[in-house]
Amino acid sequence: MVHELSRQEARRIAVRAQLLDRPRPDDLVDVVRQLTLLQVDLTAAVAPNADLVLWSRLGATAYQSKDLETDLGNQTLVEVFGMIRPREDLALYRADMAVWPGPEPLRDWQEYVRDWIDANRGCRLDILDRLRSDGPLAAREIPDTCVLPWQSSGWTNDKNVMRLLEFMERRGEVATAGRQGRERLWDLAERIYPDDRAVPRDQARHLRDHKRLRSLGIARGKSTEHQIEPNDVAEAGEPAVIEGVRGKWRVDPEQLGRPFEGRTALLSPLDRLVYDRKRMTELFEYEYQLEMYKPVAKRRWGYFALPILHGDRLVGKVDATADHKRGVLRVDAVHQDVPFGKKLSAEVRHEIEDLARFLRLALDLPDE
């Protein structure tokens, strides 16, 4: 059976799966389990992505940044491959770690990485010995004994220890033990990861697809490949088509036929509701770009504009900046994609005020 959905039904499924409807959740770890991950991005124009995502769901009354630090510190949640995940989900990645950079036949880039690691076997063993005796350590505290430099046209060129640590993380040898400011602290994976038996690769991939669909509600069965976290869900869920949208989708059957009560929320630009820009455009008919890399004169909405969710629609953007030196959350503009009535304007302002409360900053709003 192929489920026939309207765009509105598809949007509501997506919003509900991402815990952006009513009532709000009230438990941080349960939120991460439902979302499956929090992307670690430390851009702090407003707040780091993980904090914004959690605040959008929980609100300032139920969430403070120290709560996430606590759960990472006691390893209820762990950071792996730049994502914060529930500790128990690591069993779904261990089998892939064991064969990384991948089963044969390898692609060209995989062969290059494999050969580079092999050439620097001595440095890799030095890192393991140093972490075993002195870990956790920041990358800058670990001597570089690589014999073959890492070559790249980007910022990672010659960043030998950092690149090796990242590859060793993918191999399951080292893990993030926490952070010291913005720096990751590294330790032996055996000290950080649980002893849960690795789930076989095919079974693990199947379970990850189902978890991903549960968190997204509705997604493509196949889309553009992403190395860390795919946007597609293979054969998870049940087939669906969406009125006015081309192609085939997969839907979480548990989301079908459920009531919907929306609310107003401000989102991180990296929020999973909008992270897949193609899906965002297809379902929400919403125009958005993250403009932090654009010249100021070419920005339409702002350096780190926050999408505004209202019910099952994305209706605008908030151009805001956390100015900690002045102690204010400065709002330069509230862009309305559709005209805001008094009720919606009041709800957006309430969310901005709650964001300022969460950041412990005074509010600097534009003249109305």
Side-chain angles (χ1 to χ4, degrees):
M1 175 183 177
V2 178
H3 299 282
E4 297 181 359
L5 305 173
S6 68
R7 259 203 183 101
Q8 183 183 66
E9 288 173 322
R11 288 196 301 267
R12 290 183 171 185
I13 287 170
V15 170
R16 195 165 49 230
Q18 279 287 299
L19 303 178
L20 287 164
D21 62 336
R22 293 184 188 278
R24 283 181 184 264
D26 57 11
D27 184 271
L28 187 162
V29 175
D30 285 346
V31 168
V32 180
R33 286 192 175 114
Q34 172 62 28
L35 302 185
T36 71
L37 61 86
L38 299 173
Q39 182 174 341
V40 178
D41 185 284
L42 301 181
T43 303
V46 178
N49 176 68
D51 281 331
L52 277 178
V53 169
L54 290 170
W55 165 78
S56 291
R57 275 77 180 167
L58 297 162
T61 302
Y63 175 67
Q64 290 296 315
S65 298
K66 62 179 176 60
D67 301 333
L68 179 58
E69 293 172 6
T70 297
D71 285 319
L72 286 168
N74 62 28
Q75 295 174 11
T76 304
L77 303 174
V78 294
E79 181 180 339
V80 57
F81 313 152
M83 305 287 181
I84 295 169
R85 300 182 185 273
R87 176 182 171 91
E88 64 268 18
D89 281 3
L90 281 172
L92 303 179
Y93 295 87
R94 298 304 295 269
D96 279 346
M97 291 176 180
V99 298
W100 193 86
E104 299 288 347
L106 298 179
R107 301 177 185 179
D108 290 346
W109 71 266
Q110 292 173 314
E111 290 184 352
Y112 178 80
V113 170
R114 178 201 60 196
D115 294 345
W116 186 78
I117 294 173
D118 288 345
N120 289 302
R121 181 174 182 274
C123 184
R124 177 176 145 266
L125 295 177
D126 289 344
I127 289 173
L128 292 172
D129 286 343
R130 184 68 180 269
L131 292 179
R132 188 169 291 108
S133 61
D134 300 328
L137 296 171
R140 59 180 170 78
E141 298 176 289
I142 300 173
D144 181 358
T145 60
C146 286
V147 297
L148 181 64
W150 175 258
Q151 295 183 349
S152 166
S153 58
W155 70 271
T156 61
N157 188 58
D158 214 26
K159 302 290 185 182
N160 303 324
V161 171
M162 178 55 72
R163 291 305 281 157
L164 195 46
L165 283 165
E166 289 172 346
F167 294 145
M168 292 169 69
E169 179 188 31
R170 299 304 301 266
R171 290 163 60 109
E173 295 178 311
V174 302
T176 301
R179 286 185 179 267
Q180 194 171 64
R182 298 175 66 88
E183 282 189 293
R184 296 172 74 175
L185 298 177
W186 298 90
D187 207 341
L188 300 177
E190 63 199 49
R191 294 176 179 164
I192 306 299
Y193 293 166
D195 293 331
D196 301 347
R197 179 179 298 178
V199 178
R201 291 186 72 234
D202 289 345
Q203 181 185 354
R205 188 179 301 110
H206 177 76
L207 290 171
R208 294 198 305 262
D209 288 339
H210 278 270
K211 282 176 174 285
R212 191 178 311 111
L213 180 60
R214 188 187 66 181
S215 76
L216 295 173
I218 187 163
R220 294 284 189 183
K222 186 176 182 180
S223 68
T224 305
E225 183 178 352
H226 291 262
Q227 287 189 31
I228 302 298
E229 182 67 17
N231 291 323
D232 55 38
V233 296
E235 297 299 314
E238 295 177 358
V241 293
I242 302 171
E243 182 182 4
V245 182
R246 293 181 179 181
K248 299 176 182 179
W249 296 75
R250 307 293 296 187
V251 65
D252 179 358
E254 294 187 7
Q255 288 288 351
L256 295 169
R258 291 177 53 186
F260 179 82
E261 183 180 356
R263 63 181 177 88
T264 299
L266 306 184
L267 307 179
S268 164
L270 303 179
D271 195 290
R272 295 321 266 194
L273 190 70
V274 298
Y275 183 83
D276 182 347
R277 305 293 196 230
K278 186 174 187 295
R279 173 178 178 266
M280 174 197 74
T281 302
E282 290 173 322
L283 297 188
F284 292 89
E285 300 173 280
Y286 178 69
E287 186 180 4
Y288 183 84
Q289 286 184 329
L290 180 57
E291 298 181 314
M292 60 192 295
Y293 301 111
K294 285 187 175 183
V296 174
K298 293 186 177 182
R299 292 175 190 157
R300 297 172 60 189
W301 305 302
Y303 179 86
F304 200 74
L306 308 179
I308 302 171
L309 175 69
H310 178 62
D312 61 39
R313 301 304 301 263
L314 292 163
V315 298
K317 297 95 178 167
V318 172
D319 180 10
T321 305
D323 187 341
H324 291 278
K325 288 185 178 179
R326 290 181 52 216
V328 299
L329 174 65
R330 189 181 72 250
V331 178
D332 292 318
V334 177
H335 301 283
Q336 301 182 18
D337 290 11
V338 298
F340 288 9
K342 287 186 178 180
K343 183 174 183 295
L344 177 52
S345 294
E347 290 177 1
V348 171
R349 179 169 182 133
H350 178 271
E351 291 305 304
I352 294 172
E353 290 171 347
D354 195 69
L355 177 58
R357 238 183 336 267
F358 166 66
L359 297 172
R360 299 183 181 180
L361 298 173
L363 190 56
D364 183 1
L365 278 168
D367 295 332
E368 299 182 359

